[in-house]
Amino acid sequence: MGIKVLIISSDHTGHGHKSITESLCEKVGIDHDINIHVVDGFSLGGQTLLTIGKLYGPITRKAENLWKMVYNISADNPTLINRFIEGLIENNFLKLLDEVKPDLILSVHPNFNGSILNILEKRYIKIPFITLIADLVNISPLWADKRADYIISPTVEAGDKCIEYGIPEENIKILGFPVRARFFRNNTNKKTSYQKGAPLKCLIMSGGEGVGNMKKIAETLLDHFDCTVKIVAGRNAKLKAKLEQSLRSRYEEKVEVYGFTKNIHELMFVSDIVFTRGSPNVMFEAIASNTPMIITGALPGQEEDNPSFAEKSNLGVVCKNSNEIVQTITELLENDGEKLNHIINCQRKFINPHAAEDILQFISDVLNHHMEAAASLSYH
């Protein structure tokens, strides 16, 4: 029969929450007798909450300062946010519980931790609740609810922040960031050290929403280096059309522009360097694929310290100013690509390729312990 896990995720606030969920789902049935039911938490709140979720893309693309204000307001008022969402999702969430009858709830989005725990507490419903943090360093207080049975953290830094918020250390489990299996190379496409002489293969992307000054980065690379450039504009169709129009006429076959694609791993595998925003999901996919990163910026709020996190662990370099790209690339390539090859080696040592399996095993262990405790109580 297996144990039932209800995952509260999100389909519209970037692609990271969905990717984490997929990485867990693809491991089910291999070593774990777990049945997973996934729901978009925003869909539980009807059209009102769904509309709020869908605003993430336009706001992060076009109004970073507005996003910073929204993030700060929610971080400063977690109780208010939890109550607001609780009111919107309560009826549909209770119906969902009745339909799915989960043995455990796993939340991978901050908006549904305190709100769901409020409902469970108010209704005296006892179901183990685990939070899986999807950010790396700057985590909102919405991630850190003391009532959760456990909080799974991808990094020591996020775990330390939980402790600052008052979470007992024994309730925090640092298990790495789960990445979908297709991003890990196999023996046939294993990464080799950078070899001087061949054209540099560059990939430019900026998360699922397609933000950032991609045109300027591409022009700088193509004007100063022997290279080819692939650009992923994400869901931003206008940006894709604009880039194709402005770059293809000048650089022809040296440039390829993609929209939203599910084959990002293949593009990473054939690239020497990836230019990306400091999105946790994209960063860890680059690390898994063993592709050195040049991080060009980060969303204010939850991504703010991600670039320095990557640089501190030698997983990539930070280049927030497009005027510094030439110097940055030159430094990476000098001495036969010494610095670039050092990043490749550090990425290999850093990544936990079994994070998804470790998380599922932990969930299984928690549930087994919970069931044993319940059986012991009923016996006595």
Side-chain angles (χ1 to χ4, degrees):
M1 179 70 181
I3 55 179
K4 292 182 185 176
V5 175
L6 172 62
I7 297 183
I8 314 293
S9 186
S10 168
D11 291 339
H12 302 289
T13 53
H15 198 65
H17 308 284
K18 195 172 180 180
S19 299
I20 288 171
T21 303
E22 286 176 8
S23 74
L24 298 176
C25 289
E26 68 185 10
K27 298 298 179 185
V28 168
I30 299 174
D31 296 310
H32 303 280
D33 192 16
I34 294 176
N35 297 310
I36 289 181
H37 183 96
V38 181
V39 66
D40 176 1
F42 288 90
S43 70
L44 296 174
Q47 199 55 50
T48 300
L49 196 56
L50 209 50
T51 301
I52 291 172
K54 289 179 178 179
L55 284 173
Y56 176 88
I59 291 174
T60 54
R61 277 203 303 268
K62 300 172 183 176
E64 276 198 5
N65 288 333
L66 176 58
W67 170 252
K68 185 174 184 177
M69 184 178 73
V70 170
Y71 180 85
N72 288 338
I73 288 171
S74 66
D76 291 340
N77 301 278
T79 303
L80 189 65
I81 299 297
N82 288 336
R83 284 178 182 161
F84 171 70
I85 293 173
E86 174 195 347
L88 291 175
I89 71 171
E90 183 169 8
N91 290 338
N92 285 331
F93 176 70
L94 290 171
K95 285 179 190 172
L96 182 68
L97 279 190
D98 194 48
E99 290 168 12
V100 177
K101 295 180 173 57
D103 298 302
L104 181 142
I105 299 169
L106 178 72
S107 170
V108 299
H109 195 288
N111 286 6
F112 305 104
N113 300 317
S115 53
I116 286 176
L117 285 164
N118 282 354
I119 297 168
L120 296 177
E121 190 174 63
K122 189 167 71 177
R123 298 276 180 156
Y124 300 102
I125 300 170
K126 294 192 178 298
I127 300 175
F129 184 97
I130 296 177
T131 295
L132 173 55
I133 297 175
D135 292 315
L136 305 181
V137 183
N138 312 96
I139 68 163
S140 163
L142 291 168
W143 282 117
D145 196 299
K146 297 174 188 177
R147 296 169 295 174
D149 291 270
Y150 291 98
I151 295 177
I152 298 173
S153 173
T155 64
V156 171
E157 287 81 356
D160 288 344
K161 197 68 181 175
C162 285
I163 293 171
E164 281 183 39
Y165 289 139
I167 304 297
E169 191 171 350
E170 61 270 21
N171 288 1
I172 302 164
K173 303 298 171 186
I174 299 166
L175 299 177
F177 196 100
V179 177
R180 290 168 291 178
R182 61 179 175 268
F183 283 90
F184 292 94
R185 296 174 186 260
N186 53 40
N187 288 332
T188 59
N189 56 23
K190 195 171 182 179
K191 181 82 171 184
T192 56
S193 298
Y194 170 74
Q195 303 296 321
K196 186 178 179 182
L200 188 68
K201 297 184 284 293
C202 300
L203 174 63
I204 304 173
M205 54 188 295
S206 197
E209 301 302 336
V211 293
N213 196 356
M214 297 180 171
K215 180 173 179 286
K216 174 69 172 174
I217 294 169
E219 288 172 339
T220 302
L221 289 168
L222 291 160
D223 288 343
H224 291 87
F225 297 97
D226 177 18
C227 68
T228 59
V229 173
K230 297 181 190 295
I231 304 175
V232 179
R235 298 182 184 89
N236 197 336
K238 287 183 180 178
L239 176 63
K240 179 179 183 291
K242 184 180 176 183
L243 289 170
E244 283 178 328
Q245 185 179 12
S246 60
L247 295 174
R248 288 286 292 179
S249 58
R250 285 180 62 192
Y251 302 104
E252 299 178 341
E253 72 280 353
K254 287 189 173 186
V255 180
E256 290 180 77
V257 184
Y258 300 79
F260 185 78
T261 173
K262 293 186 176 180
N263 297 321
I264 292 291
H265 59 293
E266 293 176 1
L267 298 179
M268 287 183 175
F269 288 166
V270 298
S271 300
D272 297 307
I273 292 171
V274 56
F275 287 77
T276 179
R277 194 190 83 213
S279 155
N281 182 58
V282 176
M283 283 173 58
F284 268 79
E285 287 173 348
I287 297 165
S289 72
N290 213 185
T291 310
M293 298 178 285
I294 294 180
I295 301 175
T296 55
L299 273 180
Q302 76 267 35
E303 293 179 3
E304 223 157 87
D305 290 328
N306 291 355
S308 57
F309 168 86
E311 205 162 45
K312 182 180 73 175
S313 299
N314 292 312
L315 307 171
V317 295
V318 178
C319 183
K320 293 181 181 178
N321 189 334
S322 53
N323 294 326
E324 296 172 1
I325 288 173
V326 173
Q327 181 185 344
T328 300
I329 296 287
T330 301
E331 289 174 358
L332 286 173
L333 299 183
E334 64 188 8
N335 298 325
D336 295 331
E338 181 182 3
K339 193 171 180 181
L340 198 64
N341 288 327
H342 180 58
I343 291 172
I344 290 170
N345 290 329
C346 287
Q347 286 184 337
R348 285 177 187 152
K349 293 172 185 173
F350 179 87
I351 193 74
N352 173 14
H354 306 293
E357 292 99 320
D358 292 346
I359 289 165
L360 287 174
Q361 185 59 56
F362 178 71
I363 288 169
S364 183
D365 291 345
V366 167
L367 261 177
N368 288 335
H369 178 74
H370 180 77
M371 289 173 178
E372 286 170 9
S376 175
L377 280 173
S378 63
Y379 175 77
H380 291 296

